Amino acid sequence: MVECPVRSRVTQMYKVKEIILFGVLVISLASGSANNSGKSVIQLVQLANQHFDSLSTSEILLLTAVQNGEVADYRTGEPKLDEVEKFADWKEQKFLRSNVISWLCKDSDAQTLISNFGIRINGARFDGLLDLSYCSVTYPLMFINSVFTDNLILLNAELFLLYLSGSTIQSIYANGLIVKKNLAFNDGFKAIKEVWLLDAQVGAGINCQNGKFINKGGIAFAADRILVEGGVNLNDGFSAFGEIRFNGAIINGDMNCKNGSFINPLGMALNLSGITITKNLFINDGFYAEGSIVLTSGNVGGSINCGNAKLINKGGYTINGDQCNVGGSIQLHEGFNSEGELRLQFANVGGNLEAANCLLSNPGGFSLFAEGITVAKNIHLRDNFVSKGKVDISSAKIGNNLYCDGGKFLNENGVALSAVNITVGGGITMKNGFLAKGEVVLVGSYCQQFECQGSTFLNPGKKALNCYSMTVENAVALSDGFKAEGLVNMSNAVINGVFQWRNIDTNMLVKLNLDDATVGTIWDDKDSWPKKGNLTLQGFVYNNIHKKSPRTLNDRLEWIYRQGNSFLAQPYEQLAKVFKSMGYDKLTKQILYQKNIDRVERGDIKGIEKFIHKILGWTIGFGYKPERALIWILLIILLGTAVFKIGNNTQLIVPTGNPIIASHSITTKEKLPYNYPAFHAFIYSIDVFVPIIDLQMKRYWHPYSTAIGEINIGSNRKISIHGGYIRVWFIFQIIMGWVLTTLLFAGISKIIQI
């Protein structure tokens, strides 16, 4: 069998090293004298021989390097032969007993012989358990590109510095560990099982860049209550299979997880509950997680950057940041992708909540649940923000603005965006391509202005935009390309400025409910009014109609008629009030008159009430056209004149107290005293009609109800007239006189106006 040339050369190299070391040792012992360094090596080897049966060549190399301040380098020079993943193929020349390291760190005599550069080893394999619990090591420990076949135990140890860069280890148990400088699990470090650092303290930083922690289904790295005076790097190739946990940790610097991979499906991938990070938390630039990121009650002094991160936890939380405090901003942008529920309930953010150019997906559930969140500046759900599921920011307190411009909120047949009882110091904008499929709820919200130009709200047959009881200090603009299919509910809203409903796309079936809303000024246009039956105005109060809005009586009546066929008085009365305040007195009376016409025609009044309303309309125009009574008065007086003239000519009106009775027929006429008032039909008609006023005619003449008279209607034709007819008209005219004059004065004095 032919030996591999490479392996042959490596073997020869190790033999040369052994010969040289052995020669140095023999010569030193034989001469009994050497330089100080030589004596130190002899002393360290002799000291080690007292504790171990025999020392291997690799261990002698270690002792020499440690004393001389050099790196104990066991690499062969051939990268393929030094690969940590192939440590099973390594030769004995790389092997070290773990208890030799333990002895060097624990033995006080040995420690006096160790250089200030500490123990630095590259490319070795450590066999056996390495237990440095309760040790105090004042020099660096650096185990680079090495393999630990068993566990590393550092319980309550005090170390100066610990590097395990590029090394592979089983488990690390280091609860209570104190490291004065840096702790490094980086550059290809790999933990096959769990790493425990509970209650540890690190004087500088923790570097896990490109490290790998594996404990599928369990805890891969636990650092609860750890105190780190510098930053923590879990970035640039860092990967974990299992839970990474920093509950209650204090990190006086950044926590950097850029381009890290955290995988713990259905569990917690990164658990930062109760953590304190004085600077920033970076989970961005290719960060990937399967499982939840927990930040409940955490404190981040700077910002949380999640740009270009992908979080997957379908059916669970991707981020649970309930009650967390962030001094800066939370940035969910630059391609951020969340598949599951992102929670920020009762979180406190000192800067912005920025979600732009990102996807939050949790169909059938909450894509973002941030109820009660407080944001000192702005919330941005804009610029290609896409939500598949429900976004809930109810009871949020926003210092400046809520921007949803260009955002897409997709939750068909459900609530797409819930912002119930939010308080916004500035404005709410849903403009420039905003799209909601599902209900947008702003019930009880408060802001300075609300703008929805060029936005689309789709929830057919249901509420598309629900602003019930919303308060807006300035303007509301549902205009300039605003589209809605479904109900726009503005009932009970209070808008102290202008309410714009103009340039609406009416190709969609939109309904507008303004019941009991209060508005400063209406600015609308006819083309934007909802179709008949899709507008409600009961209790709607407004102070003015914009100069660019339709202001004619017919236009505003048409607006009122868009409510449908049912009659409601308040919209007429409110329009009349506004017309009056604008100086349109004539229009004011006309609208109130039309109100009563419509009440009779379309209202729910019936029977005698309806009849009375008709009478009031015919006679005095419901109190708004009292002059109409004069026409009726004149007509009745003239008719009475004709009737009474006929009665006088047929001797059916006779002097009072001097009737001519001849068996119900008039055949003769007594001669009246010379001073008896002569009969005048017109004056008599006035005297009969007008109550109270006495023209001295009615008291001297009256109808003779039992007599019969005749009137010629042709040369040879006569008609008999019974005096009872004249008497009936006489009584009717008296009654109508009281009624019409009363109504006239009531109308003029505005006693009757309905």
Side-chain angles (χ1 to χ4, degrees), residues 561-633:
Y561 293 156
R562 294 291 177 99
Q563 294 182 102
N565 294 323
S566 61
F567 172 80
L568 297 170
Q570 190 274 340
Y572 296 85
E573 295 167 356
Q574 178 61 36
L575 180 58
K577 181 179 178 181
V578 173
F579 276 162
K580 185 175 182 179
S581 69
M582 295 167 63
Y584 299 162
D585 293 338
K586 185 177 179 180
L587 292 180
T588 300
K589 294 179 180 180
Q590 288 176 332
I591 190 65
L592 293 173
Y593 172 75
Q594 189 62 43
K595 174 195 73 172
N596 288 282
I597 292 292
D598 293 340
R599 173 185 277 134
V600 172
E601 293 180 355
R602 298 185 288 111
D604 58 357
I605 58 174
K606 298 179 181 179
I608 188 64
E609 184 182 3
K610 187 171 185 178
F611 175 74
I612 293 173
H613 272 77
K614 286 185 176 181
I615 294 298
L616 293 174
W618 294 334
T619 56
I620 58 171
F622 307 102
Y624 301 103
K625 296 184 177 182
E627 67 277 5
R628 182 174 290 183
L630 294 173
I631 298 174
W632 286 101
I633 290 171

Side-chain angles (χ1 to χ4, degrees), residues 322-374:
D322 290 355
Q323 298 181 322
C324 70
N325 295 288
V326 181
S329 298
I330 298 178
Q331 299 165 332
L332 313 173
H333 53 14
E334 297 176 359
F336 174 80
N337 187 340
S338 169
E339 297 183 20
E341 180 178 339
L342 197 160
R343 289 180 62 95
L344 293 169
Q345 186 180 30
F346 300 119
N348 193 331
V349 182
N352 300 312
L353 173 57
E354 303 175 12
N357 190 30
C358 63
L359 171 63
L360 307 184
S361 179
N362 192 26
F366 292 99
S367 60
L368 172 61
F369 184 76
E371 179 186 24
I373 191 172
T374 298

Side-chain angles (χ1 to χ4, degrees), residues 478-512:
L478 310 181
S479 60
D480 299 323
F482 174 87
K483 302 177 184 178
E485 185 166 356
L487 174 65
V488 176
N489 183 18
M490 302 298 298
S491 61
N492 289 90
V494 176
I495 302 168
N496 294 321
V498 178
F499 173 64
Q500 296 186 40
W501 182 270
R502 59 187 185 82
N503 297 328
I504 305 295
D505 187 338
T506 56
N507 292 323
M508 298 181 177
L509 185 59
V510 60
K511 296 182 178 181
L512 176 60

